[in-house]
Amino acid sequence: MTQLHDTTESIKGKHLTKAERAQIKILKQENYSNRDIAARLGRAPQTINNEIKRGTVRQIRRQKQNGKTY
């Protein structure tokens, strides 16, 4: 199937800029939804969701040895 109507202005696969990341942070603090942020930035809503998840998830590495967690 061919897509006839492109809703995003940016090129697929292009990374977010620092300015876009800063804008996402500010708009989230002002309680904008991911879809509203995506519309303002001309990005896909899933891109915004992925960026928020990536930026807020702590990656803690736990190592177990002999019953002890480090």
Side-chain angles (χ1 to χ4, degrees):
M1 294 179 83
T2 304
Q3 183 177 355
L4 299 175
H5 303 288
D6 189 15
T7 57
T8 58
E9 296 172 8
S10 62
I11 300 169
K12 185 176 180 180
K14 184 179 173 191
H15 296 280
L16 293 171
T17 63
K18 280 187 176 183
E20 287 175 322
R21 287 188 173 104
Q23 203 168 8
I24 290 169
K25 182 179 178 181
I26 291 167
L27 292 172
K28 269 318 248 187
Q29 289 173 348
E30 294 177 0
N31 295 324
Y32 280 81
S33 71
N34 290 358
R35 290 189 179 274
D36 290 337
I37 295 170
R40 286 179 174 262
L41 297 179
R43 297 287 187 155
Q46 188 61 45
T47 301
I48 306 304
N49 185 49
N50 292 343
E51 180 64 23
I52 291 168
K53 281 176 62 176
R54 185 189 68 79
T56 58
V57 175
R58 288 187 191 172
Q59 295 180 358
I60 300 173
R61 185 178 211 171
R62 293 185 181 218
Q63 184 179 17
K64 280 193 171 184
Q65 253 182 348
N66 300 328
K68 296 179 184 177
T69 304
Y70 295 96

